[in-house]
Amino acid sequence: MKSLTSSARSSASSGASIAAWGASLSRDSKSGTCRPQRSGAVRAVRSRKPRLALIAFIREGITRHERCVYIADEVLDPELKTVLADGGLDLLRLRQEGTLQILNRYETFLRYARFEPTLMLELLEQTLKRTMASDYAGLRVIADMSWALSIGCDQLITFEALLNDQLPKWNVTHLCQYNRS
């Protein structure tokens, strides 16, 4: 897996104990590119730590009987099965029972060939409704945001603002991972 910066947020109703690691997006004034904002906590997340955060995030979701949705960049990282197995999690079993769903950026963020914040928000809301109808206690979303740094951040900042407005109403906890290289 790549070196990633992680950001975790949860709704007030979920009561999640995962720490908010920071990382909102900002535009680099010199290059105009989108970059995760850095804080002391974000700088501490390197190499194996994002893997440990991912395992802890999924494990806590399983403990709370929450469905976990992992949004991979383009294809599923081949190391994910090994990372989860090293953390005591069985990827195949979790997928078969529906506790862990794996999607990619083209099925989620870029499903309309471009990123549309309101449509992605609608997708999250539909996923939450299906999750709650399946008798899960909540939804956890893990998103590899590597793709986002190449498209510019105006739409992504809009999405973050819309998502922040919705999270207090939803039983959703999310973890976004940004490639720092």
Side-chain angles (χ1 to χ4, degrees):
M1 291 178 80
K2 307 167 218 158
S3 172
L4 301 170
T5 297
S6 298
S7 169
R9 295 194 186 121
S10 67
S11 69
S13 62
S14 72
S17 64
I18 299 287
W21 291 320
S24 289
L25 294 174
S26 65
R27 182 178 302 283
D28 183 293
S29 59
K30 293 180 183 176
S31 67
T33 59
C34 203
R35 297 255 186 254
Q37 292 177 355
R38 296 180 182 188
S39 70
V42 170
R43 281 192 293 274
V45 178
R46 295 186 190 266
S47 73
R48 284 199 50 86
K49 288 188 181 182
R51 294 176 182 182
L52 297 175
L54 176 65
I55 291 165
F57 191 79
I58 293 173
R59 186 181 306 279
E60 185 172 323
I62 292 167
T63 300
R64 294 173 181 258
H65 191 64
E66 296 171 333
R67 174 171 281 152
C68 299
V69 175
Y70 182 91
I71 303 172
D73 186 18
E74 188 165 338
V75 295
L76 182 60
D77 186 333
E79 291 183 35
L80 182 63
K81 184 175 181 179
T82 304
V83 168
L84 294 179
D86 289 348
L89 300 171
D90 183 347
L91 177 63
L92 181 60
R93 182 184 58 78
L94 292 172
R95 289 182 76 183
Q96 286 175 338
E97 60 188 33
T99 301
L100 177 63
Q101 295 180 333
I102 309 241
L103 304 170
N104 66 45
R105 66 181 170 175
Y106 299 110
E107 296 170 296
T108 56
F109 293 108
L110 302 176
R111 66 186 169 139
Y112 296 101
R114 67 185 191 285
F115 180 61
E116 293 289 339
T118 55
L119 296 176
M120 183 60 198
L121 206 60
E122 288 173 11
L123 177 65
L124 286 173
E125 185 172 26
Q126 292 166 4
T127 303
L128 175 62
K129 286 178 181 176
R130 283 194 306 273
T131 296
M132 300 308 282
S134 298
D135 202 29
Y136 284 93
L139 177 66
R140 284 186 175 243
V141 179
I142 304 107
D144 178 343
M145 300 299 290
S146 300
W147 63 271
L149 300 177
S150 65
I151 66 161
C153 60
D154 290 338
Q155 299 259 28
L156 207 50
I157 290 171
T158 299
F159 174 68
E160 276 192 1
L162 291 170
L163 186 60
N164 287 335
D165 287 343
Q166 290 300 327
L167 281 178
K169 303 172 195 170
W170 292 350
N171 194 9
V172 174
T173 307
H174 73 282
L175 174 76
C176 296
Q177 297 181 310
Y178 293 89
N179 186 345
R180 291 183 66 182
S181 54

